[in-house]
Amino acid sequence: MPKRSLSPLHRATTHWTTGRRILVAAVVITALLGAAGLTAWFTSRSGQGKTGVSPAVPGASSPAGTTPKPSVGTGSVPAPPKVTDPLAYARAAAVLLWSYDTRTTSRDQHLAGMNAWMTSETKYTDWTAISGQIPDPVLWSRMADNSQYATAAVGEAHFPSAFKQALAENPSAITEAYIYAVTVTGKQTIAWKNGGGGAEDRAVTLAVQCRPGSDCALVSLAPSVAP
């Protein structure tokens, strides 16, 4: 039996719309990178269906009053950082993708919080890829019944080698959209009631937009990790 992941958030979605996938590929890869390897990251599919999720331990729901009720707004989801460095923003975005708290945050609140991290330039934003990391409502409810939450720690962030090579060959290409590919590694720790939990290493390649004079924003993520 293949090993199941502990996280419901760690893999890239396989449900990108055709138009959005082509646009992201065209901007981030063709116009900016010109690298065949990067084309594969943003256009290939990494399997069918949704990812495996962390164990939702069977059992009764928590007694009334023991689990905090979600507050109005975005719950435990942090606001996006006001930074202009794509590496710093990608590090923070990776923590966002690998963290959640069903004890204090509803699924809708979590999605609203994540949406605030996206670029406002609709021609580039790939919300489908990001929102696809969140479990469906039924699974989120099961996780909440078990007070499941996850925290994340980032190890490092770097521009993939093909990105750096392509940028060196054509430095002006990035000025079209100022979208950077960034690979982030780290670790996710997950826990649920009655002492359950575990940890796994994580890695993701993100597309981050950082226009001059503006704070960075999240664009998309790749279906596989770029070295």
Side-chain angles (χ1 to χ4, degrees), residues 56-57 59-63 67 102 138-148 192-193:
V57 182
S61 300
S62 301
T67 301
T102 65
V138 173
L139 181 53
W140 187 276
S141 178
R142 288 184 59 203
M143 292 162 61
D145 286 344
N146 289 286
S147 302
Q148 188 167 308
W192 52 91
K193 67 182 182 181

Side-chain angles (χ1 to χ4, degrees), residues 78-99 117 151-160 180-188 202-210 216-221:
K82 296 184 178 299
V83 297
T84 57
D85 176 7
L87 294 176
Y89 195 86
R91 287 169 60 91
V95 172
L96 171 75
L97 291 174
W98 299 334
S99 303
W117 289 64
T151 57
V154 171
E156 65 92 32
H158 65 271
F159 297 121
Y180 300 80
V182 182
T183 294
V184 185
T185 60
K187 177 170 289 188
Q188 182 191 57
R202 292 281 175 259
V204 67
T205 297
L206 301 170
V208 174
Q209 185 179 49
C210 299
C216 295
L218 186 59
V219 173
S220 186
L221 51 77

Side-chain angles (χ1 to χ4, degrees), residues 37-197:
L38 291 179
T39 303
W41 308 341
F42 286 90
T43 59
S44 64
R45 294 182 176 232
S46 56
Q48 300 296 320
K50 290 207 170 186
T51 67
V53 301
S54 53
V57 182
S61 300
S62 301
T66 62
T67 301
K69 293 182 180 180
S71 59
V72 176
T74 59
S76 63
V77 182
K82 296 184 178 299
V83 297
T84 57
D85 176 7
L87 294 176
Y89 195 86
R91 287 169 60 91
V95 172
L96 171 75
L97 291 174
W98 299 334
S99 303
Y100 57 90
D101 193 340
T102 65
R103 302 169 302 174
T104 62
T105 308
S106 70
R107 182 176 182 273
D108 287 345
Q109 286 177 319
H110 194 91
L111 286 169
M114 292 178 69
N115 190 57
W117 289 64
M118 303 299 295
T119 177
S120 60
E121 298 184 35
T122 56
K123 67 181 294 185
Y124 300 128
T125 188
D126 188 5
W127 175 237
T128 302
I130 302 302
S131 63
Q133 305 310 295
I134 305 304
D136 63 45
V138 173
L139 181 53
W140 187 276
S141 178
R142 288 184 59 203
M143 292 162 61
D145 286 344
N146 289 286
S147 302
Q148 188 167 308
Y149 65 97
T151 57
V154 171
E156 65 92 32
H158 65 271
F159 297 121
S161 57
F163 177 91
K164 292 189 291 184
Q165 179 180 347
L167 193 59
E169 292 172 355
N170 188 6
S172 65
I174 199 169
T175 60
E176 178 183 346
Y178 287 95
I179 295 176
Y180 300 80
V182 182
T183 294
V184 185
T185 60
K187 177 170 289 188
Q188 182 191 57
T189 300
I190 191 170
W192 52 91
K193 67 182 182 181
N194 300 324

